Amino acid sequence: MRDKIRNATRLVVKVGSALVTNNGAGLDHGALADWARQIAQLQQQGRQIALVSSGAIAAGMQRLGWRTRPHEMHKLQAAAAVGQMGLAQAYEDAFSRHGLHTAQILLTHDDLADRKRYLNARSTITTLLKYGVVPIINENDTVVTDEIKFGDNDTLGALVANLIEAEALIILTDQDGLFTADPRKDPDATLISEGQAEDPVYRSMAGGAGSGISKGGMLTKILAAQRAARSGAHTMIVGGRHADALARAAGGEPIGTLLHASSTPLQARKQWLADHLKVAGTFVIDAGAAKALRAGKSLLPVGIVEVEGDFERGAAVACRDDETGVILARGLSSYSSAEARRLKRKPSREVEATLGYVAETEAIHRDNLILL
Ligand SMILES: Nc1ncnc2c1ncn2[C@@H]1O[C@H](COP(=O)(O)OP(=O)(O)O)[C@@H](O)[C@H]1O
Ligand SMILES: N[C@@H](CCC(=O)OP(=O)(O)O)C(=O)O
């Protein structure tokens, strides 16, 4: 399986706060220079690399003289704004030594939740890669609010892997990989060398962040590997402090943990639906409709018991089984919430008469629907 990493021509590399800021001591320019050198080498081999880098908040805290990570959103945003300046400049300096340009890409959830903006972000990043520019990507912490943030850069790394259809996501962290338990707490924990990203067993092994300066933790890395797998990307979790860790991981060497994607990539549209982190409303559906969706069919108005939320046609909505309360699918609604309320429980043949105009007969067409 490691050959799949070795043969990957487009990769996303994610580096965490602990590595970028040497455990919060401030930007580790030596580490950034070393990653730049390795990425330049990989580019020489004809491989495209997008770099998702944490560290804005940690670097900002250090520059502002804050010892502990604040909880207040406005303070986190202030630290990120200060730190991101240094991060971008440090990467630009590091890559310029290898004759490479960098590009700063700051994303929020909305940039990827809106299909048009999603496609725009994809074309911008792939254009940069084509011209040999290294995109330096981070969440736009300065403007995010609870409603629109990704939350951690492991998630962002996976979403970027989906976005640009990377074949591999390499996560550099401060442990040698995924262990059977947090090595900081369990000295007997052993390293997992390889497994399937979708295997649920790993979630139980993975805990939260290892230090006060990080956000993600190992659980977010496991979830990121599962998310990356949806578009067929394999994930490696590697200790970023070892010499040439990135070049060795990208070379397919047996280091760290390889979590490979087993499922075939979802087609791009369904992939986007699966990653659509927010929905605008919910269709509460009956047992018959739930069974039909699980069989790969479209959602018809007759199966809608209730409509929650206010949304326009084309909005992303969740489908919740009325009997079990389980959200079993997401999709793009063919109706606005007002239309759907008028059509619920109605057979498809009555759609036109009920609305007074021709509309889709399916509330969610199966091509616009993904099971969770
Ligand atoms: N099963 C596990 N295997 C390895 N590390 C784990 C595990 N569970 C929790 N951790 C913790 O996750 C930390 C890595 O995540 P995090 O602190 O967010 O670093 P990063 O800044 O690279 O994202 C490790 O330092 C470790 O303390
Ligand atoms: N956008 C934030 C990302 C925080 C984050 O995810 O940190 P980590 O868990 O160390 O990767 C920052 O730059 O600090």
Side-chain angles (χ1 to χ4, degrees):
M1 284 308 289
R2 303 269 177 165
D3 58 328
K4 299 215 172 181
I5 305 289
R6 186 171 57 250
N7 299 330
T9 54
R10 181 175 287 177
L11 302 89
V12 174
V13 176
K14 182 267 176 176
V15 290
S17 310
L19 295 185
V20 172
T21 64
N22 194 11
N23 296 325
L27 282 183
D28 186 339
H29 294 276
L32 272 61
D34 200 36
W35 294 327
R37 173 184 60 78
Q38 294 176 71
I39 290 172
Q41 272 174 10
L42 292 169
Q43 266 212 8
Q44 289 295 321
Q45 298 164 13
R47 306 173 82 175
Q48 296 180 342
I49 312 283
L51 178 60
V52 175
S53 175
S54 302
I57 293 172
M61 283 164 53
Q62 195 270 337
R63 287 178 161 210
L64 292 165
W66 298 350
R67 292 269 174 271
T68 53
R69 187 185 177 98
H71 297 291
E72 301 88 337
M73 180 63 86
H74 66 280
K75 286 186 179 175
L76 284 169
Q77 289 178 317
V82 170
Q84 189 64 38
M85 285 298 290
L87 207 53
Q89 189 52 50
Y91 278 118
E92 176 64 16
D93 292 347
F95 281 97
S96 66
R97 287 180 218 138
H98 303 277
L100 295 176
H101 295 299
T102 60
Q104 176 172 266
I105 309 267
L106 298 179
L107 294 172
T108 66
H109 155 78
D110 278 357
D111 295 319
L112 301 185
D114 172 280
R115 183 80 179 149
K116 208 162 129 187
R117 289 165 69 178
Y118 178 90
L119 297 173
N120 185 56
R122 180 166 68 178
S123 59
T124 302
I125 296 175
T126 49
T127 301
L128 290 166
L129 291 171
K130 192 171 76 173
Y131 286 104
V133 174
V134 180
I136 309 293
I137 303 168
N138 197 356
E139 180 156 22
N140 193 350
D141 297 301
T142 308
V143 297
V144 290
T145 58
D146 273 331
E147 292 69 33
I148 63 167
K149 68 182 181 183
F150 298 117
D152 68 85
N153 273 3
D154 297 318
T155 302
L156 182 57
L159 288 170
V160 171
N162 298 153
L163 180 71
I164 62 174
E165 293 171 321
E167 296 122 299
L169 167 63
I170 296 179
I171 299 176
L172 299 183
T173 185
D174 58 3
Q175 295 291 338
D176 285 350
L178 169 67
F179 285 72
T180 49
D182 185 345
R184 294 173 194 258
K185 295 170 185 161
D186 179 352
D188 300 327
T190 54
L191 180 69
I192 307 275
S193 172
E194 192 167 325
Q196 277 199 347
E198 293 90 344
D199 190 333
V201 71
Y202 301 125
R203 291 190 185 195
S204 60
M205 299 175 187
S211 59
I213 60 165
S214 292
K215 178 77 171 55
M218 197 48 74
L219 180 57
T220 51
K221 292 170 179 53
I222 303 302
L223 296 175
Q226 291 176 356
R227 190 181 291 278
R230 281 191 191 136
S231 59
H234 307 289
T235 297
M236 284 187 75
I237 302 169
V238 179
R241 291 202 168 99
H242 296 298
D244 283 333
L246 174 52
R248 293 176 61 205
E253 288 193 28
I255 58 175
T257 301
L258 169 63
L259 295 175
H260 51 82
S262 48
S263 58
T264 51
L266 285 170
Q267 76 230 40
R269 186 177 185 75
K270 290 224 171 189
Q271 161 59 49
W272 174 72
L273 277 173
D275 283 330
H276 199 88
L277 301 179
K278 259 171 66 69
V279 294
T282 300
F283 286 148
V284 182
I285 65 177
D286 63 18
K291 188 172 174 221
L293 262 57
R294 288 197 179 93
K297 294 182 181 161
S298 302
L299 174 64
L300 302 179
V302 69
I304 298 175
V305 175
E306 193 47 74
V307 179
E308 295 173 356
D310 296 312
F311 48 86
E312 297 305 317
R313 275 191 211 160
V317 296
C319 297
R320 189 174 74 238
D321 184 331
D322 189 29
E323 270 186 10
T324 63
V326 169
I327 292 181
L328 68 147
R330 277 198 202 114
L332 299 181
S333 172
S334 308
Y335 308 136
S336 68
S337 50
E339 291 169 330
R341 287 190 175 95
R342 292 170 59 194
L343 290 171
K344 67 184 181 186
R345 287 298 192 207
K346 292 271 175 69
S348 299
R349 65 177 178 278
E350 292 182 18
V351 167
E352 192 173 333
T354 304
L355 295 181
Y357 44 83
V358 177
E360 305 277 342
T361 50
E362 302 90 356
I364 303 177
H365 191 278
R366 63 182 178 183
D367 290 348
N368 294 332
L369 186 142
I370 183 150
L371 289 173
L372 299 177

